């Protein structure tokens, strides 16, 4: 608790915090392009088998139209259009007869696309699907690549959470930006699909570190009263990045160019991030009060505080005397489950993170199945996400963290279940429910970013954040994989996404406390104090109600 007073002496919410938010907005605008890139770079274009009659210039009959050649070369598919995965072994001339029926040929007359495919390049000039033929028998490789990308974030969330506590937030942030830039740029030179997936894994690994380090730095340098607002601003930048991706992909139809546009800016962000000060909270907890004092004075000078000289080592040590000894205690994952108050919070947040991200990424990675214009849909998803996140700060000030978290997740789940009941031909209504669910997820994710930082004390905050990201990304990995079951059980994916989201909202209501108005906890004793204060408040409220009734 004592650090909050030091932060107020350093200017509270001033010019430094504003510059810090502007710095973190840069990666937040570009990260969505990396995460959702394969909605466009891996879009499945229209395709059919390559055939001699149609695609071998020397074999084309000049007295026949392309439609006639298609009829005798490619059998009709399930949607009555040309089959995407099979072709006739020999030209079926009898199909040119107007009286020909489906019985005029049999499955034995067809074969797979042994000579490759011809792709429709009217929408995208190039995609990884067309480059490595990720269609027909290989169509499962597309969601697999998305899951590999998410597995990189999963592993990175765990590793960077531990490394950030050992080496600091700032060095990890700069390194991860550089790693993402190098790996993302190298992806365009990948000669095989396996190497492509490997480079995407490395890029995602670095992205996880950017998430953890930037959000933790922002939380630890922001006063309690302004924390919700600043985190909402960053969340809105993330939403704006999603909307901008639709326009970026519309302008850049080649997957290599789009990949470069989403990767190269991180070289500059890596250099810009060096101006940021290290977390003074972390320095205090690690037993480095001298460095913490230097960072506090630096922030005070930027904020224009003339009383910065009053920040001395004596003032700092007396303010945080109970925190420095705790830095000598080793902190590990087990610490989250050894103390009862942390154990309940950790288990509940693990369930919430897993449930939220499995449903969220199941929705956003399924953009192409909605049909229509996927560029417009992406922009629409980003716009409604922006609106949802922008209203989060206002909602949190009136309803609190727990109510918003539980309510938004429940509404998102109900929207998914409602969408499941809408027929496929009512595309407009399906889009409305999908957009509603996306907006509710935007509110939920913004609230969760604030909520989880307030649930854990400083010594274990990064470790807890890393574990929660790890479990959440495990859900994000499963999201696209569940979509693979759609061919056998079409209703299973939306049913799972909706039910899981609603069930996790009940976990929030029954197992997590309200943290609105409480300072950021620095020690486990702070959590116990909050618990005691809440209990006293409940008893006082009960007495008041009883007295009123009498």
């Amino acid at each position: 608790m004592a650090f909050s007073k030091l932060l107020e002496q350093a200017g509270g919410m001033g010019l430094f915090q504003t510059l810090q938010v502007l710095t973190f907005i840069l990666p937040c605008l570009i990260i969505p392009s990396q995460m959702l890139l394969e909605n466009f770079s891996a879009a499945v274009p229209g395709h059919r088998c390559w055939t001699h009659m149609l695609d071998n210039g020397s074999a084309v009959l000049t007295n026949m139209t392309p439609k006639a050649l298609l009829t005798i070369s490619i059998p009709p598919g399930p949607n009555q259009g040309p089959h995407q995965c099979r072709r006739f072994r020999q030209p079926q001339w009898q199909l040119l007869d107007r009286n020909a029926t489906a019985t005029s040929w049999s499955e034995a007359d067809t074969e797979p696309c042994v000579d490759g495919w011809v792709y429709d390049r009217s929408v995208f000039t190039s995609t990884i699907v067309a480059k490595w033929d990720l269609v027909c028998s290989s169509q499962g490789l597309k969601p697999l690549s998305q899951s590999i990308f998410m597995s990189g974030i999963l592993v990175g969330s765990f590793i960077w959470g531990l490394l950030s506590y050992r080496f600091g937030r700032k060095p990890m942030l700069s390194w991860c930006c550089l790693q993402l830039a190098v790996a993302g740029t190298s992806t365009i030179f990948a000669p095989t699909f396996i190497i492509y997936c490997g480079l995407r894994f490395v890029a995602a690994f670095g992205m996880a570190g950017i998430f953890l380090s930037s959000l933790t730095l922002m939380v630890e340098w922001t006063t309690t009263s302004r924390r919700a607002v600043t985190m909402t601003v960053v969340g809105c930048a993330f939403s704006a990045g999603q909307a901008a991706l639709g326009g970026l992909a519309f302008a850049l139809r080649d997957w290599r160019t789009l990949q470069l546009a989403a990767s190269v800016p991180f070289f500059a962000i890596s250099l810009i991030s060096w101006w940021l000060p290290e977390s003074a909270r972390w320095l205090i907890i690690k037993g480095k009060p001298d460095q913490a004092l230097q960072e506090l004075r630096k922030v005070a000078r930027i904020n224009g505080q003339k009383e910065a000289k009053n920040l001395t080592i004596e003032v700092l040590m007396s303010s945080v005397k109970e925190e420095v000894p705790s830095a000598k205690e080793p902190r590990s994952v087990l610490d989250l489950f050894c103390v009862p108050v942390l154990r309940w919070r950790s288990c509940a947040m693990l369930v919430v993170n897993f449930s939220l991200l499995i449903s969220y990424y199941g929705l956003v990675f399924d953009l192409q199945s909605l049909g229509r214009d996927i560029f417009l849909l992406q922009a629409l998803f980003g716009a409604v996400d922006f609106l949802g996140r922008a209203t989060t700060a206002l909602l949190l000030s009136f309803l609190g963290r727990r109510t918003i978290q539980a309510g938004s997740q429940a509404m998102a789940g109900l929207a998914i279940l409602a969408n499941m009941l809408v027929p496929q031909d009512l595309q407009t209504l399906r889009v409305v429910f999908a957009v509603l669910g996306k907006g509710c997820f935007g509110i939920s994710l913004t609230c969760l970013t604030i909520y989880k930082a307030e649930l854990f004390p400083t010594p274990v905050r990064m470790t807890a954040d890393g574990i929660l990201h790890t479990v959440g990304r495990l859900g994000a990995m499963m999201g696209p994989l569940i979509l693979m079951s759609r061919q056998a059980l079409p209703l299973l994916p939306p049913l799972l996404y909706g039910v899981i989201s609603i069930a996790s909202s009940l976990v929030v209501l029954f197992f997590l406390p309200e943290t609105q108005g409480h300072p950021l906890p620095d020690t486990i004793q702070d959590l116990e104090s909050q618990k005691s204060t809440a209990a006293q408040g409940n008893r006082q409220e009960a007495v008041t109600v009883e007295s009123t009734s009498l």
Side-chain angles (χ1 to χ4, degrees):
M1 299 295 187
F3 185 82
S4 300
K5 298 178 181 178
L6 291 175
L7 195 56
E8 291 291 346
Q9 294 181 35
M13 192 68 185
L15 177 60
F16 164 76
Q17 281 75 15
T18 302
L19 294 175
Q20 185 187 51
V21 170
L22 293 175
T23 301
F24 288 138
I25 282 178
L26 296 176
C28 287
L29 285 172
I30 307 173
I31 280 179
S33 296
Q34 281 285 340
M35 295 191 65
L36 305 176
L37 190 70
E38 291 189 355
N39 274 338
F40 303 97
S41 67
V44 181
H47 55 278
R48 61 169 175 80
C49 293
W50 187 95
T51 66
H52 293 279
M53 297 290 292
L54 277 168
D55 306 302
N56 187 356
S58 60
V60 174
L61 301 178
T62 57
N63 60 341
M64 297 186 64
T65 64
K67 183 178 179 180
L69 291 173
L70 185 65
T71 300
I72 65 175
S73 302
I74 305 293
N79 59 353
Q80 300 307 313
H83 204 292
Q84 295 182 326
C85 300
R86 300 194 70 83
R87 69 179 186 180
F88 287 123
R89 298 177 185 273
Q90 299 295 332
Q92 303 296 302
W93 301 104
Q94 73 277 10
L95 295 179
L96 295 178
D97 187 352
R98 295 182 179 180
N99 297 323
T101 63
T103 59
S104 301
W105 61 276
S106 65
E107 190 69 22
D109 297 324
T110 66
E111 64 181 359
C113 302
V114 294
D115 294 318
W117 289 263
V118 175
Y119 295 95
D120 178 11
R121 302 186 184 276
S122 60
V123 179
F124 294 98
T125 58
S126 176
T127 67
I128 65 168
V129 171
K131 178 177 176 60
W132 288 299
D133 293 330
L134 307 182
V135 293
C136 299
S137 60
S138 299
Q139 61 182 332
L141 293 178
K142 176 187 172 180
L144 179 62
S145 69
Q146 293 172 331
S147 293
I148 291 174
F149 180 81
M150 285 301 170
S151 69
I153 301 180
L154 186 154
V155 177
S157 298
F158 180 76
I159 299 298
W160 294 122
L162 298 177
L163 291 179
S164 292
Y165 181 72
R166 177 177 291 272
F167 300 107
R169 281 66 157 145
K170 177 182 172 180
M172 295 301 101
L173 175 62
S174 301
W175 171 261
C176 289
C177 289
L178 181 61
Q179 178 176 319
L180 175 56
V182 173
T185 303
S186 301
T187 301
I188 67 172
F189 304 107
T192 64
F193 180 68
I194 294 177
I195 295 178
Y196 167 84
C197 290
L199 290 171
R200 288 283 288 168
F201 177 91
V202 175
F205 188 91
M207 185 186 299
I210 298 175
F211 275 128
L212 288 171
S213 300
S214 59
L215 293 180
T216 303
L217 276 172
M218 183 171 296
V219 166
E220 294 183 345
W221 276 115
T222 305
T223 58
T224 303
S225 60
R226 298 298 182 91
R227 193 180 304 133
V229 175
T230 55
M231 298 306 294
T232 300
V233 170
V234 173
C236 290
F238 190 87
S239 302
Q242 295 184 49
L245 174 60
L248 186 66
F250 181 81
L252 306 175
R253 304 297 183 94
D254 184 279
W255 76 271
R256 294 180 183 85
T257 309
L258 185 61
Q259 181 75 48
L260 282 176
S263 302
V264 171
F266 282 98
F267 284 109
I269 295 174
S270 177
L271 297 175
I272 294 173
S273 65
W274 277 105
W275 84 268
L276 294 168
E278 181 57 88
S279 169
R281 287 181 184 268
W282 174 79
L283 291 170
I284 293 171
I285 296 301
K286 293 294 288 183
K288 301 178 179 179
D290 293 331
Q291 296 182 34
L293 183 61
Q294 292 178 9
E295 301 294 9
L296 281 168
R297 287 178 173 174
K298 176 181 178 181
V299 171
R301 287 194 301 270
I302 296 176
N303 284 337
Q305 291 295 312
K306 298 180 180 180
E307 294 81 7
K309 295 181 179 179
N310 295 334
L311 289 172
T312 63
I313 192 66
E314 291 77 14
V315 172
L316 186 145
M317 292 302 294
S318 62
S319 300
V320 296
K321 57 184 178 181
E322 72 278 8
E323 299 173 13
V324 175
S326 66
K328 299 178 181 179
E329 303 174 9
R331 302 294 177 183
S332 68
V333 177
L334 296 178
D335 292 330
L336 297 174
F337 302 95
C338 292
V339 182
V341 66
L342 283 178
R343 185 185 309 126
W344 281 107
R345 296 185 180 196
S346 300
C347 292
M349 288 300 291
L350 289 174
V351 173
V352 172
N353 270 261
F354 179 84
S355 305
L356 178 59
L357 291 186
I358 193 174
S359 301
Y360 177 78
Y361 284 102
L363 178 66
V364 299
F365 280 155
D366 199 27
L367 188 65
Q368 200 170 16
S369 68
L370 292 175
R372 311 286 183 182
D373 187 344
I374 64 174
F375 305 105
L376 180 61
L377 279 174
Q378 181 63 57
L380 189 60
F381 269 24
V384 73
D385 195 70
F386 180 91
L387 181 62
R389 291 176 186 265
T391 58
T392 303
L394 180 63
L395 294 173
L396 288 175
S397 63
F398 288 101
L399 300 177
R401 276 64 160 156
R402 182 171 61 177
T403 303
I404 294 300
Q405 188 65 45
S408 59
Q409 285 192 240
M411 289 185 63
L414 291 173
I416 293 174
L417 293 178
N419 194 19
M420 180 182 68
L421 303 177
V422 178
Q424 290 287 341
D425 55 340
L426 299 178
Q427 284 292 316
T428 302
L429 187 58
R430 289 177 62 84
V431 170
V432 168
F433 280 121
V435 168
L436 175 62
K438 184 63 165 61
C440 291
F441 277 132
I443 296 175
S444 183
L445 287 169
T446 304
C447 181
L448 185 66
T449 302
I450 302 167
Y451 197 19
K452 65 184 177 182
E454 297 175 345
L455 287 172
F456 298 96
T458 302
V460 296
R461 187 173 297 121
M462 280 296 288
T463 302
D465 206 15
I467 296 301
L468 292 177
H469 267 80
T470 299
V471 175
R473 296 308 169 183
L474 181 61
M477 281 180 57
M478 294 185 63
L481 291 180
I482 290 176
L483 292 174
M484 297 174 65
S485 66
R486 175 174 291 167
Q487 292 181 346
L489 299 170
L491 296 181
L492 180 60
L495 182 62
L496 284 177
Y497 298 146
V499 171
I500 288 174
S501 186
I502 294 173
S504 66
S505 68
L506 300 178
V507 174
V508 175
L509 283 177
F510 290 111
F511 295 101
L512 292 175
E514 179 57 66
T515 61
Q516 184 181 17
H518 294 293
L520 201 64
D522 287 317
T523 64
I524 294 176
Q525 287 73 23
D526 291 340
L527 298 183
E528 298 291 349
S529 299
Q530 290 180 4
K531 187 177 180 181
S532 301
T533 302
Q536 292 175 2
N538 291 336
R539 286 197 296 269
Q540 184 177 358
E541 182 179 355
V543 171
T544 303
V545 172
E546 183 178 356
S547 301
T548 304
S549 63
L550 291 175

